[in-house]
């Protein structure tokens, strides 16, 4: 029986003249309209925009937290099966004769810089330290926060957030796009990945919606990354220069001011636009190579002057712990606990005080001691045994709040980032086998991330654990923790030199992320054409700057990045569903193409006879 050829006649109408020459007017106009609408809303009604985004974000988390957790775990399992499957893993993207365009060093540099560069600079110390004080094991009462026993679980969840799951989200998108682009000769754009399921429907409105959702997710994902990076960039400038106008010094902990963030944003986005117009082969490639070299130098500083022995012990023990708990970490999702459920779990003598007890007992960022000390009136007179039972009754909500605030935030971040990073990975990975693509883009960078977190974060934890830092690192803002750690570790001209290098590294990581995002957005706009005019790169660079700037403005001085985080989680949800369909689509394509190949081989053998 003959097998129909795959559908590859994907038509994306592009303008033949005018400003949008070479671009899909429908995708470009709809994407820009959504982004401009968001900018105007945040600019004209900042308080309303911030409040609505926050409320809608929490409602979505309460409904879709389990969905986010389970589907990202499924992505990891899906890719592992593809890599292990012999006939699939050996398939070469581009055909048997295709050779990789970039060397392994440049390939890894660009992959690393685009995928997690800024996140690793910001959270290398902040993540382990924060999770050392609050993680599911601590919330369950099994270990005490900020204790030696809590170190392993802190790194278990650090590895969860920056390991296989993060890169799997990128690779699901990247592998799908690369397969259709290099095996079937289709446009390198998001809708191509769904052609086995929807066929000709993607030539019209349905295809436009899919590409627009990818653009929106990309802009919001890149915005959060740049927002954190700009905050750390400003912190670094303050550490070097002491300039006060870029900081909010009236808060409990000095943090970058709105003015400082906006000034830093303009500098970084200006450089990003310049880099984007130079193209992947020059700007992005050279900056990515520089990023990797500077990262290795920073790592070497921590190896020499930091707590390297403690870090290595932590790295090995936590890696084993992470692997042993992998299944539960991947699929152990929590649902919110209602007031009625909490009240039903209380001891009888505590039920009259349920309303007063619930906030402290369900606070994912608090502790039992904080819960007890925060009680007032008659509730404070309850016995210790009763209060212990009350705190236990609130564990489900604490676990849900922690998972939604940490793990689900990260999953949404990586998913929102995946159209950008996935398309970029596909762009630089022609000539790689599917197995090489998966192992090279999931396993290898994850192990590097683990080492990075263990060495930088382990040093920060050790300095606090042994009392050397005396709480200085713990009390610093997340984006300042790296610089405070360096200050506790080294001093003098060396500290100044390393701090300057870190600021340069943050800057280059930011420029790499932003210019790669601009290039990817224009690739989607142009229906997969990788050679687009510089004017559109400039326009999208300005739109990205406006989105980030207005969301910073809308959130206000105290929590300038909150509006971006909320918008990103909301924007990531539709694309999460598209990624699930991508997996189904890729399985169908691989199966059908395998059948076609076997048919051709059989026909060739018969002809040879």
């Amino acid at each position: 029986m003959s097998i129909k050829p795959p559908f590859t006649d994907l038509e994306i109408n592009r303008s033949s003249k005018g400003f949008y020459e070479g671009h899909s007017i429908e995708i470009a106009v709809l994407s820009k309209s959504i982004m401009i609408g968001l900018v105007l809303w945040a600019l004209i009604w900042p308080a309303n925009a911030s409040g609505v985004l926050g409320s809608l974000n929490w409602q979505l988390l309460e409904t879709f937290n389990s969905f986010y957790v389970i589907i990202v775990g499924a992505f990891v399992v899906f890719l592992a099966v593809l890599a292990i499957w012999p006939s699939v893993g050996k398939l070469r993207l581009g055909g048997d004769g295709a050779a990789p365009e970039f060397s392994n060093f440049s390939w890894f540099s660009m992959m690393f810089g685009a995928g997690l560069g800024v996140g690793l600079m910001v959270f290398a110390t902040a993540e382990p330290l924060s999770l050392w004080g609050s993680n599911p094991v601590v919330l369950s009462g099994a270990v005490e926060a900020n204790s030696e026993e809590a170190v392993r679980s802190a790194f278990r969840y650090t590895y969860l957030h920056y390991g296989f799951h993060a890169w799997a989200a990128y690779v699901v998108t990247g592998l799908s796009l690369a397969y259709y682009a290099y095996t079937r000769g289709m446009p390198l754009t998001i809708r191509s990945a769904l052609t086995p399921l929807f066929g000709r429907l993607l030539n019209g409105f349905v295809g436009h919606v899919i590409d627009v959702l990818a653009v929106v997710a990309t802009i919001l994902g890149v915005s959060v990354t740049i927002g954190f990076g700009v905050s750390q960039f400003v912190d670094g400038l303050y550490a070097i220069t002491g300039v006060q106008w870029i900081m909010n010094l009236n808060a409990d902990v000095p943090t970058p001011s709105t003015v400082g963030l906006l000034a830093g944003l303009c500098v970084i986005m200006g450089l990003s636009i310049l880099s984007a117009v130079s193209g992947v082969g020059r700007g992005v490639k050279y900056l990515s190579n520089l990023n990797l070299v500077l990262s290795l130098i920073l790592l070497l500083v921590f190896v020499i002057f930091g707590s390297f022995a403690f870090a290595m012990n932590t790295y090995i023990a936590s890696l084993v712990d992470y692997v042993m708990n992998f299944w539960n970490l991947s699929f152990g999702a929590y649902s919110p606990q209602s007031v009625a459920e909490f009240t039903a779990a209380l001891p009888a003598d505590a039920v009259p005080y349920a309303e007063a007890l619930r906030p402290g007992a369900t606070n994912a960022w608090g502790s039992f001691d904080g819960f007890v000390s925060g009680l007032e009136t008659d509730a404070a007179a309850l016995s210790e045994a009763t209060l212990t039972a009350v705190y236990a009754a609130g564990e489900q909500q604490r676990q849900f709040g922690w998972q939604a605030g940490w793990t689900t935030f990260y999953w949404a971040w990586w998913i929102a980032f995946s159209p950008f990073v996935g398309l970029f990975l596909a762009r630089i990975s022609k000539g790689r086998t599917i197995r090489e693509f998966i192992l090279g883009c999931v396993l290898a960078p994850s192990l590097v991330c683990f080492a990075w977190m263990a060495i930088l974060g382990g040093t920060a934890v050790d300095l606090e654990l042994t009392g050397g830092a005396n709480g200085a690192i713990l009390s610093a803002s997340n984006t300042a923790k790296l610089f405070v750690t360096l200050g506790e570790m080294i001093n003098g001209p060396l500290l100044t030199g390393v701090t300057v290098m870190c600021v340069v590294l943050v800057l280059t990581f930011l420029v790499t992320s932003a210019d790669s995002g601009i290039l990817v957005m224009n690739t989607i706009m142009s229906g997969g054409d990788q050679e687009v005019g510089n004017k559109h790169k400039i326009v999208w660079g300005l739109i990205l700057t406006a989105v980030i700037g207005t969301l910073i403005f809308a959130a206000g001085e105290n929590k300038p990045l909150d509006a971006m985080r909320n918008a990103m989680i909301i924007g990531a949800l539709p694309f999460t569903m598209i990624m699930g369909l991508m997996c189904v689509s890729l399985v169908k394509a691989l199966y059908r193409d395998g059948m076609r190949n076997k048919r051709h081989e059989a026909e060739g053998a018969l002809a040879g006879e």
Side-chain angles (χ1 to χ4, degrees):
M1 185 179 77
S2 62
I3 303 173
K4 290 194 305 182
F7 172 78
T8 59
D9 191 19
L10 194 61
E11 298 176 359
I12 303 175
N13 293 327
R14 298 192 293 166
S15 178
S16 59
K17 59 183 179 179
F19 180 78
Y20 286 109
E21 182 179 1
H23 278 59
S24 166
I25 295 178
E26 294 88 349
I27 301 173
V29 171
L30 187 54
S31 300
K32 288 178 181 177
S33 298
I34 293 172
M35 288 299 104
I36 291 172
L38 179 61
V39 167
L40 292 176
W41 182 32
L43 193 62
I44 299 172
W45 299 285
N48 177 265
S50 182
V52 171
L53 287 172
S55 175
L56 181 57
N57 169 55
W58 189 248
Q59 290 175 29
L60 288 179
L61 285 174
E62 287 188 327
T63 305
F64 291 100
N65 179 69
S66 296
F67 171 73
Y68 267 120
V69 171
I70 292 171
I71 198 168
V72 173
F75 291 157
V76 181
V77 175
F78 171 72
L79 292 174
V81 171
L82 292 186
I84 293 170
W85 203 270
S87 60
V88 172
K90 68 180 181 181
L91 292 176
R92 189 169 297 276
L93 301 170
D96 292 337
E101 180 180 357
F102 300 100
S103 67
N104 287 337
F105 181 81
S106 292
W107 183 53
F108 185 80
S109 299
M110 288 189 284
M111 174 205 316
F112 187 78
L116 283 176
V118 174
L120 286 183
M121 288 298 294
V122 173
F123 289 101
T125 50
E127 178 92 359
L129 279 170
S130 298
L131 299 190
W132 186 36
S134 177
N135 67 63
V137 180
V138 172
L139 292 176
S140 70
V143 297
E144 184 181 350
N146 298 329
S147 65
E148 186 173 355
E149 293 77 19
V151 171
R152 182 174 296 185
S153 57
F155 278 91
R156 177 195 304 173
Y157 288 93
T158 297
Y159 287 4
L160 169 66
H161 296 155
Y162 281 83
F164 305 142
H165 296 76
W167 288 95
Y170 300 155
V171 173
V172 163
T173 302
L175 179 59
S176 296
L177 297 178
Y179 183 81
Y180 298 106
Y182 302 133
T183 303
R184 293 187 171 182
M186 300 181 69
L188 190 61
T189 190
I190 304 300
R191 71 175 78 183
S192 295
L194 298 180
T195 49
L197 295 181
F198 299 106
R200 297 186 183 279
L201 283 175
L202 298 176
N203 285 339
F205 179 73
V206 174
H208 298 331
V209 169
I210 289 169
D211 284 341
V212 167
L213 289 175
V215 171
V216 170
T218 298
I219 291 174
L220 296 175
V222 173
S223 294
V224 170
T225 299
I226 294 175
F228 278 119
V230 169
S231 181
Q232 189 174 48
F233 177 68
V234 173
D235 272 316
L237 290 179
Y238 178 67
I240 296 169
T241 65
V243 175
Q244 296 187 0
W245 65 268
I246 61 176
M247 299 295 290
N248 177 16
L249 300 176
N250 296 323
D252 295 336
V253 176
T255 55
S257 66
T258 300
V259 174
L261 289 172
L262 294 177
L265 175 66
C266 291
V267 171
I268 284 156
M269 290 308 300
L271 293 173
S272 300
I273 293 171
L274 288 175
S275 178
V277 299
S278 70
V280 175
R282 289 179 290 177
V284 177
K285 175 182 175 181
Y286 296 142
L287 279 177
S288 296
N289 288 344
L290 175 62
N291 290 344
L292 191 57
V293 171
L294 293 180
S295 298
L296 292 174
I297 294 173
L298 178 60
L299 198 65
L300 186 62
V301 170
F302 273 84
V303 168
I304 296 173
F305 298 100
S307 308
F308 186 63
F310 177 85
M312 286 298 95
N313 287 334
T314 300
Y315 176 70
I316 295 170
S318 298
L319 182 57
V320 172
D321 182 63
Y322 169 61
V323 172
M324 290 180 64
N325 289 278
F326 184 81
W327 192 260
N328 183 58
L329 292 172
S330 299
F331 299 104
Y334 287 94
S335 300
Q337 182 186 44
S338 67
V339 174
E341 290 172 332
F342 172 75
T343 304
L346 294 178
D349 57 338
V351 170
Y353 313 105
E355 185 176 349
L357 293 168
R358 189 170 186 269
T362 58
N363 180 13
W365 321 117
S367 64
F368 177 74
D369 291 339
F371 159 63
V372 173
S373 63
L375 294 176
E376 298 177 354
T377 65
D378 294 340
L382 293 171
S383 67
E384 183 176 351
T386 297
L387 292 176
T388 300
V390 170
Y391 196 67
E395 184 182 347
Q396 179 184 334
Q397 182 64 20
R398 291 199 304 275
Q399 297 286 7
F400 164 76
W402 187 94
Q403 190 175 64
W406 276 102
T407 303
T408 306
F409 160 69
Y410 273 119
W411 289 178
W413 191 3
W414 306 147
I415 288 168
F417 224 42
S418 70
F420 151 46
V421 181
L423 201 153
F424 188 72
L425 291 179
R427 164 67 183 83
I428 64 176
S429 299
K430 185 176 181 179
R432 308 281 174 177
T433 66
I434 289 180
R435 184 175 295 114
E436 185 181 7
F437 188 98
I438 293 173
L439 295 180
C441 297
V442 175
L443 186 60
S446 294
L447 294 176
V448 172
C449 289
F450 296 161
W452 181 274
M453 289 290 190
I455 295 172
L456 274 66
T459 294
V461 169
D462 189 50
L463 287 170
E464 290 289 5
L465 191 62
T466 58
N470 198 28
I473 309 174
L474 281 172
S475 62
S477 68
N478 282 341
T479 52
K481 279 182 167 61
L482 174 62
F483 302 112
V484 177
T485 302
L486 287 170
E488 295 293 330
M489 195 173 69
I490 54 179
N491 53 47
L494 178 60
L495 173 60
T496 302
V498 173
T499 302
V500 170
M501 186 191 73
C502 285
V503 172
V504 172
L505 185 55
V506 171
L507 176 65
T508 55
F509 269 136
L510 281 168
V511 171
T512 303
S513 295
D515 65 14
S516 300
I518 293 169
L519 292 171
V520 164
M521 283 185 283
N522 278 282
T523 300
I524 297 173
M525 299 291 162
S526 60
D529 186 357
Q530 299 169 34
E531 302 297 330
V532 295
N534 286 336
K535 62 184 178 183
H536 292 288
K537 298 174 185 176
I538 295 171
V539 168
W540 275 103
L542 294 176
I543 290 175
L544 183 58
T545 306
V547 169
I548 300 169
T550 52
L551 288 176
I552 289 173
F553 174 73
E557 196 74 54
N558 293 329
K559 295 182 178 181
L561 304 183
D562 275 13
M564 270 188 293
R565 287 168 51 114
N566 294 333
M568 181 269 296
I569 293 174
I570 295 166
L573 181 60
F575 195 76
T576 308
M577 299 174 184
I578 290 174
M579 288 178 64
L581 293 174
M582 281 183 179
C583 295
V584 177
S585 182
L586 185 58
V587 169
K588 181 179 179 181
L590 289 167
Y591 175 71
R592 299 287 288 180
D593 285 351
M595 291 181 65
R596 292 184 187 100
N597 291 335
K598 289 180 180 178
R599 178 78 176 181
H600 292 156
E601 290 173 1
E603 290 174 352
L606 288 173
E609 294 177 356

